Each structure stands twice: as structure tokens, then as C-alpha cells.
Amino acid sequence: MIHVNVRGIIERNGPNGTEIVIQKRVKANEKNTPYELPGGRLEEFESFFEGLKREVHEETGLHITKIFGEETKIETHDKNSNVEAVRPFAIYQTTNGPVDSLGAYFRCQANGVLNDKGDDTEDIKWISVDDLRQLIEDQLIEFSWVDKSGILYYLKWHYTQKVH
């Protein structure tokens, strides 16, 4: 079975430039608690955007107000099916590991107040992209095996695009 996931790279302009939300993953069946991006598994026939909004709210308390790429969404409605096509920020596929999964990362913005704890999450916080990059370079922060590639992809994009 393959799991389909959505992840939010929630951005805001902070006092030290662009900030994103990270959180610690806390699951009873897992030994360590790495950081991750908000998001999770889609429910059966749930749209990318609805799943992203639901997961982000459950885990962080935030309400998504903008999803970059949302304007690209096209839906087809046929007699026995509906299909959506969208342009995410990035997609991932696990090619080895404990779970076979496929997912989409979406850059987004949100409002609200961060929860102290969320659905299987804690230490939910805003962090400046510059500070995050330094922590990763110094190997002082650990990300979940899935989100490590998403964070590195985002940082590469952020520093080559200079979109602040």
C-alpha cells in the first residue's frame, strides 16, 4: 500500500526575513522525535488542498489563507469521477524506507496562533530560514526521513530565487 501525503511550507515575513513553521513529530511507535513540516496523509478521495488545510489546522492550529499554485487547479467532473490537477511546490516519492509514500509540498501562508501541541506534534514554532539553514549546516537539527529532502529542496529554491 502506498500512502499519499501533503505537507505545508508555511511562510511569513518575520523580523529576520522569511520564517517557516516546523514541529517535532511525536508518535508512540517511534523512538526519536525529529522535526518535520506540518501535514500528513490524505483521507480517501480528499483533495490536496482540503487535506492540507485539515492537517495543518490539526497539527498547528493555523488556518491556511493562501496556497501558492492554487490558481493552477483544474477539476474534471465526469459521470463517475472527479479528478483534480494542481501545480505543487514540489513532490516526493520514497524509493526506500519504512513506508512507501508519495506526497506534495505546498508553499502557503496562514493566520492564527500556533498550538503548544498538536495531533502527534509538539514544539511547533516559526523559525527563520537563515537560522534553519545554519542549524542544518551545523548538523544541530534532525528532520524526519521524509521531510529532510523537502526542507533541503526548499532551501535550495529559497536561496536561488531570492524571493523574500
Side-chain angles (χ1 to χ4, degrees):
M1 170 166 47
I2 189 165
H3 299 283
V4 180
N5 297 288
V6 288
R7 298 274 198 256
I9 301 171
I10 306 167
E11 299 174 314
R12 74 174 184 188
N13 291 324
N16 297 318
T18 303
E19 298 177 333
I20 65 170
V21 174
I22 61 173
Q23 60 194 17
K24 278 200 171 182
R25 176 184 178 96
V26 182
K27 297 222 175 188
N29 62 333
E30 296 179 4
K31 294 178 186 174
N32 60 356
T33 57
Y35 280 95
E36 67 176 9
L37 295 166
R41 193 175 314 157
L42 290 178
E43 295 175 358
E44 188 173 12
F45 296 113
E46 184 176 35
S47 77
F48 285 114
F49 298 140
E50 291 308 311
L52 181 64
K53 291 173 184 177
R54 177 184 54 77
E55 284 286 343
V56 165
H57 182 68
E58 288 173 359
E59 293 181 357
T60 68
L62 297 176
H63 296 278
I64 292 180
T65 57
K66 179 177 180 144
I67 301 171
F68 294 93
E70 190 170 17
E71 70 283 357
T72 68
K73 180 179 174 179
I74 293 176
E75 280 187 88
T76 57
H77 302 279
D78 293 324
K79 184 176 181 180
N80 296 315
S81 66
N82 296 341
V83 176
E84 70 176 6
V86 300
R87 184 183 69 218
F89 172 69
I91 61 168
Y92 76 86
Q93 176 187 3
T94 59
T95 55
N96 190 16
V99 177
D100 190 10
S101 71
L102 174 70
Y105 292 102
F106 292 93
R107 284 180 51 238
C108 48
Q109 295 173 339
N111 64 22
V113 177
L114 290 176
N115 291 335
D116 292 329
K117 290 185 177 192
D119 186 20
D120 293 327
T121 59
E122 65 183 20
D123 195 18
I124 307 160
K125 61 186 173 187
W126 291 99
I127 185 168
S128 82
V129 173
D130 291 337
D131 289 347
L132 179 59
R133 181 170 102 176
Q134 191 62 56
L135 288 170
I136 290 171
E137 286 176 3
D138 294 342
Q139 298 181 353
L140 297 175
I141 193 168
E142 178 186 358
F143 274 89
S144 69
W145 64 282
V146 169
D147 284 342
K148 182 178 181 181
S149 62
I151 287 290
L152 294 176
Y153 186 92
Y154 173 77
L155 290 173
K156 179 180 177 182
W157 171 84
H158 179 82
Y159 288 105
T160 57
Q161 295 298 310
K162 298 294 182 194
V163 175
H164 299 299

